[in-house]
Amino acid sequence: MKAINPTQTAAWQALQQHYQAIKRVHLRELFAADGQRFNRFSCRLSDQLLLDYSKNLITEETLATLLQLAEETQLTVAIQALLKGEKINRTEDRAALHLALRNRDNLPMLVGGQAVMPQVNAVLAKMERFCNQVIEGDWRGYSGLAITDVVTIGIGGSHLGAWMVLQALAPYRNHLKCHFIANVDGGEVSEILKSLNPATTLVLISSKSFTTSETMTNALTVRRWFLTSLRDPAQLRPHFVALSANAAAVAAFGIDREQLFEIWDWVGGRFSLWSAIGLPIALSIGFKAFEQLLSGAQSMDRHFVTAPFRENLPVILALLSIWYGNFWGAETEAVLPYDYRLQGLSAYLQQANMESNGKSVDRQGLPVNYQTAPIIWGETGTNGQHAFYQLLHQGTHLIPCDFIAIAEPHHPLVNHHEQLLANCFAQTQALAFGKTAEEITIALAAAPEEIQITERDRLPFKVFRGNNPSNTLLLRQLTPNNLGLLISLYEHKIFAQGAILNLFSFDQWGVELGKQLAQCLQPLLRKQAVSASIDSSTQGLINYFQTWNVQHGSR
Ligand code: F6P
């Protein structure tokens, strides 16, 4: 696959000129000039998902030139390489074939010339058997009691996907109580274990590498917790399963092979919730609903791989992100789900996006001369309106926003839902069209004189510039299928963005240095350890820690 610097394409030059021509055009003008703008810049998928991208700072010419950028950077070739299981994760010499995990049609999928579907299907079948045993109470703990609580120990891609999905699909959950331990902070594991009975607790150690220090520290602590209640370590057996690619490390931990749910190195951690890493999901909503999640993702996969780029939702979102990040100077993107159950979505997308494309070296190993990943942040609506919308409306940043809403709630409170959706739509309207000084003045014309005088002084503070771009994604319902559609949409947006920007999106070397330094510093936190030559700030912090850490002092 040829690596192309996007800034050296004709499209990029054209976009730079086009930006000069369009930067002063207001969305008010664009909508006034085209009564069909919504129809022109919106698309639906399987009658379950609508993307309204009409409130973006684009014209047909903008879109055409952005699409030309996708063509000139050979996005189609990149998609084919993804599908063919090529080692597109070049620096780790791996494929990135998470599409195989939800390949419900069992199309042939190869990695290194080997068909992967037999192993994918074998693990899915094993997951199904296990889920049925646990859910139906046939899987018993050391004392003969059925499982009531499932604890997943994992972090990053081995945590965020399952954690986010289980919040989003709360209405589909069964009697099993699911808990997540991710942070190495002892406060989390202590809090979680407080409420648990070892006799009815199942622990999933979720780690592709089975070496991540936080996860292994938590796993050992939880195992010790069990051993305070058990007479014989052999009694641990029914309480621990592993979700991992590292069978040797799993065996060394003491988990039998039949209680290992395998994943593979050609599945990136942040793209792994569809694999055995998704076992907490399948346990909590049932395997059939988990399969619906997979099917939803497959629908979006099919769309991404086959739809012309002009109607391709992930490609359009990717191009819009590049347009704002590289021509409008936008540094961040806000993910604003107007649904309480999607409260974990922005955290999930932070890793998916920023760990994939938060790079500054291109596929030739050269420093990039353009913006790569945006900073992803966000909060559910309407909460965010009472926290940061002031900045969105009247701040100094251009912040493209993704509003996500669900037409049909899972609760009967109609008036709540109508208020929620009205706020969602109104915010995109206010962001797009704002409110001019003239409009404010006209609205005050009928007010008493003293009000008009007071308000005249406030006028500059009450103007809304508008022209803030947003996308609105409207799902018919938040079902497992539609959640799969949504997550896969963002996965492919991120992939397309990385491909166009000539990045390796599936490695994450940037997380290594901090981990290594932490391993060097941890021994230094103990009084008796002699510190190597480290900077005065770090040494100063260690000194204060040692002085103030009373618990430590008692050691
Ligand atoms: O954040 C770095 C990272 O490697 C992620 O890519 C990964 O999802 C996470 O740590 C956990 O890794 P593992 O699943 O191997 O424990």
Side-chain angles (χ1 to χ4, degrees), residues 76-385:
T76 305
V77 174
I79 294 170
Q80 290 311 311
L82 172 78
L83 264 181
K84 287 188 284 192
E86 290 182 18
K87 291 186 173 179
I88 56 175
N89 179 359
R90 185 101 52 80
T91 66
E92 294 183 303
D93 194 32
R94 293 171 178 171
L97 201 54
H98 40 286
L99 277 74
L101 301 171
R102 62 254 193 161
N103 171 28
R104 311 303 290 151
D105 300 334
N106 263 314
L107 299 173
M109 289 211 168
L110 307 178
V111 169
Q114 296 298 314
V116 297
M117 290 316 297
Q119 53 191 325
V120 169
N121 290 326
V123 170
L124 284 170
K126 184 173 178 179
M127 289 169 69
E128 182 172 20
R129 288 193 300 275
F130 182 68
C131 287
N132 293 340
Q133 285 178 295
V134 174
I135 293 166
E136 285 152 26
D138 298 333
W139 186 273
R140 298 297 171 121
Y142 71 89
S143 68
L145 294 174
I147 298 299
T148 58
D149 291 80
V150 178
V151 176
T152 301
I153 302 175
I155 198 166
S158 295
H159 161 66
L160 286 165
W163 170 78
M164 178 271 293
V165 167
L166 283 188
Q167 293 174 67
L169 298 180
Y172 296 85
R173 283 165 40 179
N174 53 35
H175 64 289
L176 293 174
K177 293 187 282 295
C178 284
H179 316 270
F180 292 92
I181 299 173
N183 202 320
V184 75
D185 177 348
E188 186 170 58
V189 59
S190 310
E191 189 62 32
I192 298 290
L193 293 178
K194 259 183 208 164
S195 65
L196 297 177
N197 171 3
T200 61
T201 297
L202 173 68
V203 178
L204 313 180
I205 304 177
S206 179
S207 176
K208 180 179 168 186
S209 65
F210 225 76
T211 59
T212 301
S213 61
E214 296 98 326
T215 301
M216 302 327 292
T217 301
N218 278 318
L220 291 169
T221 297
V222 172
R223 182 164 67 178
R224 274 197 300 276
W225 172 78
F226 267 94
L227 291 172
T228 58
S229 309
L230 309 182
R231 289 184 312 283
D232 174 1
Q235 292 176 303
L236 284 171
R237 188 181 178 283
H239 295 279
F240 281 82
V241 303
L243 321 177
S244 185
N246 188 341
V250 168
F253 186 87
I255 295 173
D256 300 339
R257 179 81 189 181
E258 59 270 22
Q259 285 174 216
L260 162 61
F261 294 85
E262 195 181 7
I263 63 175
W264 306 277
D265 69 7
W266 44 264
V267 176
R270 50 192 174 274
F271 300 94
S272 65
L273 73 85
W274 324 96
S275 71
I277 296 291
L279 186 59
I281 302 170
L283 283 166
S284 180
I285 65 174
F287 193 77
K288 289 284 170 270
F290 180 71
E291 287 182 303
Q292 290 160 13
L293 182 76
L294 299 180
S295 298
Q298 182 190 29
S299 301
M300 185 57 75
D301 295 346
R302 206 179 283 127
H303 167 76
F304 177 55
V305 168
T306 58
F309 287 168
R310 176 67 181 80
E311 294 120 44
N312 195 307
L313 279 69
V315 172
I316 289 167
L317 289 179
L319 291 170
L320 288 170
S321 184
I322 290 170
W323 175 231
Y324 296 124
N326 281 286
F327 298 90
W328 288 81
E331 301 265 323
T332 79
E333 282 176 15
V335 175
L336 307 171
Y338 272 67
D339 191 293
Y340 165 77
R341 296 164 298 172
L342 289 175
Q343 52 194 294
L345 186 62
S346 63
Y348 174 78
L349 292 176
Q350 282 183 331
Q351 185 199 15
N353 204 315
M354 294 158 74
E355 195 165 85
S356 294
N357 294 333
K359 316 285 175 66
S360 54
V361 166
D362 68 18
R363 286 184 290 204
Q364 282 90 356
L366 301 173
V368 296
N369 60 331
Y370 46 86
Q371 172 102 299
T372 54
I375 296 163
I376 304 296
W377 61 286
E379 175 57 80
T380 51
T382 56
N383 301 35
Q385 295 174 202

Side-chain angles (χ1 to χ4, degrees), residues 78 97 123 170 177 231 294 378 412-414 423 475 492 509 551:
L97 201 54
V123 170
K177 293 187 282 295
R231 289 184 312 283
L294 299 180
L413 302 174
V414 174
N423 272 277
L475 288 171
H492 293 312
W509 299 110
Q551 178 196 30

